[in-house]
Amino acid sequence: VKQSEFELIERLRSKESKHLRKDTFIGIGDDCAVLQLPSYKLQNTNNNQEPRNKIQIKPKYQNQNYQLITTDTLLEGTHFKIAKKNKKPLFFNLGVKVLIANISDISSMGGYPTHALVTIGIPKSVKDEDVKNLYAGINSIAKKHDIDIVGGDTIRSSKLLVSITLMGEVEKENLLTRSGAKVGDVILATGKFGFPAFTTYNLLLTTYYSLSPVARTIAKSHLATAMIDSSDGLARSVEEICKRSKLGAKIFSSEIPIAKGATLKQVLFGGEEYELIFTVPKSKVANMLKKVKATVVGEIVDKGLFLVDSSQKIKSLKLQDFKHF
Amino acid sequence: VKQSEFELIERLRSKESKHLRKDTFIGIGDDCAVLQLPSYKLQNTNNNQEPRNKIQIKPKYQNQNYQLITTDTLLEGTHFKIAKKNKKPLFFNLGVKVLIANISDISSMGGYPTHALVTIGIPKSVKDEDVKNLYAGINSIAKKHDIDIVGGDTIRSSKLLVSITLMGEVEKENLLTRSGAKVGDVILATGKFGFPAFTTYNLLLTTYYSLSPVARTIAKSHLATAMIDSSDGLARSVEEICKRSKLGAKIFSSEIPIAKGATLKQVLFGGEEYELIFTVPKSKVANMLKKVKATVVGEIVDKGLFLVDSSQKIKSLKLQDFKHF
């Protein structure tokens, strides 16, 4: 695919994002879509024990939670290759990874997952054993997160395809989006960066810890102003927060926790880490760091995207730098 | 894919269908998953105008609607081929068809669609123009049905892939599943059968009328006992109602409205029609036929699946007959 096509799709998608329904709270543009769950009719529980006309109070009530929805697809040839050796861990890890990618989207908005649809496309070369391992990987993560798999689709395919749509919920007061950052906010990150850039094509080295508890702690603290996962790379994730918050950022390149052996390019642009990038007002950072383990990796400024190295040298980070990476 | 693998997946999926969450009303096994929307907290709107202790009534309230979710994928090579000529209508129709397939699932449970996620996989050979036409097809149907496209995924792919997840809602009292048929119920069908069997691979001849209003009329009438769409073919759809209702059926082969030029095999097993197959108690058929245009194509019996021809000759319809079709 030429880059221009992806840009076209982004334009087409953003045209669509002018949503028409009242129950669409956030459409395209964040880690998940956010829906207002429908409103409810009060049941008459009066049971005729009290005359209707004596009831002066009309209770108003509202939905406690937003619903979150996201989808992620892994395709053979594009996201991974199937090697003959180590097929078993590959299929298992593939199942793990595609569900984790979705959970990461739900987590980064402060929510928890609930229901999944699993679509798989199976080529002739794939054996029963492989399919079992794929499902075992998906189920192992689903069980841990109390996710019900409620549907999906199975199709013939020339390349192995695994696509999951995941639903979740978040209490309205805990919702975190990409768009709430303020000038002066500190940018925090969980975990280390650069490691998955080595392993994109085999998945064998996928390590996994559940982001969910950390993300929920951040959301419930009400100290953060914006959050995103780092699946598209640290620099791209910071840029997304900036774009949605209509601000800029400085990234402190020498402060980023780096996975052993990773280059700065892999750290900034590699992606595929399911870590959290979030912003917190300066005055609340100490409080936040008592609750979760994270590292200060930058700060929000009014515009631009900059890299600051250990000698305080500032370099402008251009979009094109990572588009052509 | 070998048949055995699809059977394995069915087993793996049905293992998963033992769902664990209380808010999963129906998991795998019907046209859509059916979720109990979460419960809600009553807001205190008392405004201190009346003492709390004077309020004796504790209003109970419940969710009015179920949420419906389904997903459908079309893949180049498996579901369609891209020919050089007529690319424009092909891409447009592809967008139309994948969304209709999903709407059909929502409709056949008595519901209406609300939100969609669109995932597309694009090969290098696909042009900007093609992508625009694909989206135009999707959007034309989305607009008609008041569907917001709220997310999705765009990936590189060697084959064109379009996958949609569609959400919808249905008032609890209007939900229709595959499992409510009773012995003696009459099987009704909308539309004609056999036509799409000619056109599976080019999509150019896709005709389209919206099932939604018909399906909603059937659901709101409260006269039907079970409903399914006919996308897997008339015989398979009747068999699914039987399987879920733990009963059998006779299909009156000479009564089925047949598309011009279609063979009986195409009529029974062709599929890809987005028509409705539904069951109605004998005493209510006349009433139902005043509300919707449909044809009596069979009746529910206690077990087995039979074909009855115009001379009343009964032939057993074996599962294998259409598995190996």
Side-chain angles (χ1 to χ4, degrees), chain B residues 56-199:
Chain B
Q56 294 299 327
I57 300 161
K58 279 193 182 172
K60 278 182 199 157
Y61 50 102
Q62 67 168 173
N63 307 352
Q64 225 181 176
N65 293 359
Y66 287 120
Q67 189 172 48
L68 305 171
I69 307 125
T70 186
T71 186
D72 213 74
T73 301
L74 292 182
L75 182 62
E76 182 190 346
T78 301
H79 302 101
F80 62 91
K81 280 174 183 164
I82 302 177
K84 275 195 177 170
K85 53 172 185 174
N86 292 323
K87 253 180 134 188
K88 186 172 170 176
L90 175 86
F91 276 82
F92 186 90
N93 284 345
L94 199 56
V96 167
K97 183 170 171 170
V98 67
L99 189 47
I100 283 177
N102 279 288
I103 294 173
S104 176
D105 286 332
I106 301 274
S107 295
S108 66
M109 303 203 72
Y112 52 91
T114 57
H115 301 87
L117 303 178
V118 178
T119 293
I120 56 177
I122 312 174
K124 281 179 188 161
S125 58
V126 167
K127 302 277 175 294
D128 285 9
E129 176 86 0
D130 303 328
V131 177
K132 272 186 198 166
N133 284 327
L134 178 66
Y135 268 97
I138 294 172
N139 286 334
S140 72
I141 301 297
K143 221 175 234 179
K144 269 186 202 160
H145 289 85
D146 194 23
I147 296 168
D148 266 0
I149 295 164
V150 293
D153 202 6
T154 307
I155 60 172
R156 288 172 176 84
S157 174
S158 58
K159 305 276 179 187
L160 182 64
L161 166 94
V162 194
S163 180
I164 291 187
T165 295
L166 186 64
M167 275 157 287
E169 283 173 39
V170 61
E171 305 82 2
K172 284 190 173 181
E173 68 274 18
N174 294 338
L175 178 71
L176 274 171
T177 69
R178 297 176 179 178
S179 63
K182 299 276 176 289
V183 172
D185 281 0
V186 166
I187 305 169
L188 292 162
T190 63
K192 289 182 183 178
F193 291 81
F195 180 71
F198 302 125
T199 60

Side-chain angles (χ1 to χ4, degrees), chain A residues 172-187:
Chain A
K172 285 190 172 179
E173 68 274 18
N174 294 339
L175 178 72
L176 275 170
T177 69
R178 299 176 178 178
S179 64
K182 300 272 175 293
V183 172
D185 282 359
V186 167
I187 304 168

Side-chain angles (χ1 to χ4, degrees), chain A residues 1 5 16 24 126 135 148, chain B residues 5 16 24 122 126 135 148:
Chain A
V1 184
E5 253 144 33
E16 288 159 15
T24 305
V126 167
Y135 268 98
D148 266 358
Chain B
E5 252 143 32
E16 288 158 14
T24 306
I122 312 174
V126 167
Y135 268 97
D148 266 0

